[in-house]
Amino acid sequence: MKIERIETFLVAPRWLFCRIETSDGVVGWGEPVVEGRAELVRTAIEVLSEYLIGQDPLQIERHWQTLSKGGFYRGGPVLSSAVAGLDHALWDIAGKVYGAPVSSLLGGRVRDRARVYAWVGGDEPAEIADQVAEQVAAGMTAVKMNASGLIQPSPSRAEVAGIVERLGAARSVLGDSLDVAIDLHGRVGVAGARRILHAVEDQHPLFVEEPVLPEHLRHLPSIVGGTTVPIALGERLYSRSEFMPALDAGVAVVQPDVSHAGGISELRRIAALAETHGALFAPHCPLGPISLAASLQVSFATPNFLIQEQSRGIHYNVANDLTSYVVDPAPFTWVDGHAEYNPLPGLGITVDEAAVRAADQKGHAWRNPVWAHADGSFAEW
């Protein structure tokens, strides 16, 4: 069996899918994308396909090593995301060939269901409370929200108070037994992050995500050491080596993204590395169905798993959702805030190929917003 054909598809709202077909007719699907830069990843897939065409698809680790390291210049989000999507598809093929879910190929599941959380939005505390209440009524046991919108690098007293108020509104609905996490997106400076962490401690967030930008990881030891709030990060880190400074600093939760950090192959290694540091694993995944299916395969096989991000109802996906490109939405039906174990082979989903090809005819050119402060200077989105 050889790899015979590799295709990519730009599908709304902001995703890129890839399809690998073998000489035996086995098809695997992946989701390689950098949000806002999907076209660049598509080109990277074309270049990497030169190596993969004609190869045995079951030699996944051999291919991962060559795709990741075969070029003199390595790493970065575009290359790592391209490798990731191809890696998803190869694992999907392997599972279908062996008649087993990918989690079984990774050593088997260590849990029967995986906890997931829902995104909530809204700028006003009243909106937050209503949206959290909707999620609780739907059976969710955890939510995550942005800590703020546009915010100054050195936040004002009012801005910090607004974060506390919105978090408190969520907590008022959740009570003490359900969880809420907040995401800072690296929008504030180091001192601002410390101030916010101190202010939200009494609300006991499940974690505070990305308190500082990846380029400021050298400050993590003082941030982690100065709070009792669990610190989480990792969506903008793409390899085991990039996670080392964060783990050495004592972060509580790592959040690699299976569509960015080298795919299933690298994600499971990052999870194992985190386990040796006593850190928990909460895969980042505000993306599409293939990415989530791949994430869940790793989550089910990972001992130090905490919770899984998923994008059903997220504000990016207005006209298209997780279920828009799959034949059966059952794998993405949450039961009491959990994903049930999926015994189907490969990634456990059947992609609606006709819907994907139709969507690719329209394509997309999604770009993330670019923000500015009141004085016109650049602001972190």
Side-chain angles (χ1 to χ4, degrees):
M1 183 170 61
K2 303 295 182 183
I3 294 171
E4 200 166 72
R5 187 180 184 191
I6 299 175
E7 300 173 273
T8 55
F9 308 90
L10 278 170
V11 298
R14 56 178 188 157
W15 304 329
L16 179 69
F17 295 167
C18 73
R19 178 185 184 274
I20 297 181
E21 183 175 349
T22 71
S23 55
D24 288 8
V26 182
V27 172
W29 288 87
E31 189 170 338
V33 66
V34 175
E35 300 94 298
R37 300 290 185 267
E39 301 93 330
L40 301 182
V41 183
R42 182 177 226 177
T43 299
I45 292 284
E46 293 176 4
V47 174
L48 296 177
S49 296
E50 297 172 4
Y51 160 76
L52 277 178
I53 295 296
Q55 298 285 347
D56 176 359
L58 301 181
Q59 296 185 39
I60 300 172
E61 185 60 28
R62 181 194 294 264
H63 301 325
W64 190 93
Q65 294 290 330
T66 300
L67 293 171
S68 297
K69 303 176 181 179
F72 182 77
Y73 298 100
R74 307 175 182 178
V78 171
L79 176 61
S80 295
S81 298
V83 172
L86 295 168
D87 187 75
H88 303 162
L90 294 177
W91 280 102
D92 194 25
I93 288 169
K96 291 171 180 175
V97 169
Y98 296 125
V102 169
S103 60
S104 293
L105 304 186
L106 297 176
R109 71 184 189 272
V110 295
R111 57 183 46 81
D112 298 321
R113 58 182 194 159
R115 192 183 187 198
V116 300
Y117 65 80
W119 265 93
V120 294
D123 294 329
E124 300 298 328
E127 295 174 353
I128 289 290
D130 290 344
Q131 291 172 9
V132 172
E134 289 178 10
Q135 295 297 339
V136 172
M140 302 301 290
T141 65
V143 298
K144 189 176 82 172
M145 62 188 194
N146 290 326
S148 70
L150 181 66
I151 189 171
Q152 299 176 86
S154 181
S156 68
R157 182 176 182 179
E159 287 173 320
V160 175
I163 293 172
V164 174
E165 184 180 9
R166 294 171 71 244
L167 184 56
R171 179 58 74 195
S172 70
V173 177
L174 296 166
D176 294 333
S177 59
L178 305 182
D179 287 310
V180 57
I182 61 172
D183 191 347
L184 287 176
H185 286 293
R187 289 174 180 165
V188 299
V190 174
R194 291 195 189 103
R195 181 168 286 173
I196 291 168
L197 288 165
H198 176 72
V200 303
E201 273 196 343
D202 290 346
Q203 297 292 349
H204 291 270
L206 179 64
F207 53 76
V208 170
E209 182 173 337
E210 227 178 10
V212 294
L213 292 167
E215 52 262 41
H216 298 153
L217 292 188
R218 64 188 181 279
H219 296 293
L220 272 179
S222 65
I223 293 171
V224 171
T227 182
T228 63
V229 176
I231 301 301
L233 55 79
E235 68 186 84
R236 290 188 272 188
L237 304 179
Y238 312 117
S239 67
R240 285 159 284 166
S241 60
E242 292 185 359
F243 275 89
M244 281 300 297
L247 288 166
D248 286 342
V251 296
V253 182
V254 296
Q255 299 173 295
D257 190 308
V258 78
S259 281
H260 301 322
I264 291 169
S265 295
E266 185 72 348
L267 210 70
R268 61 174 179 152
R269 291 189 279 256
I270 292 168
L273 179 64
E275 186 181 13
T276 66
H277 286 75
L280 298 175
F281 175 67
H284 179 262
C285 189
L287 293 170
I290 303 169
S291 183
L292 181 56
S295 285
L296 285 169
Q297 293 295 332
V298 181
S299 296
F300 271 101
T302 299
N304 53 323
F305 168 78
L306 173 64
I307 197 166
Q308 174 70 59
E309 182 174 25
Q310 54 85 29
S311 67
R312 293 204 74 170
I314 199 170
H315 49 287
Y316 300 117
N317 310 342
V318 177
N320 302 88
D321 208 291
L322 278 177
T323 59
S324 298
Y325 301 109
V326 294
V327 173
D328 182 4
F332 304 126
T333 301
W334 317 132
V335 180
D336 298 328
H338 289 75
E340 299 290 324
Y341 172 70
N342 183 352
L344 297 175
L347 296 181
I349 60 172
T350 300
V351 173
D352 186 340
E353 188 168 324
V356 170
R357 291 187 182 277
D360 183 57
Q361 292 299 308
K362 299 177 181 178
H364 70 81
W366 188 87
R367 301 290 183 262
N368 63 255
V370 178
W371 286 357
H373 292 295
D375 65 358
S377 62
F378 177 81
E380 291 290 341
W381 173 63

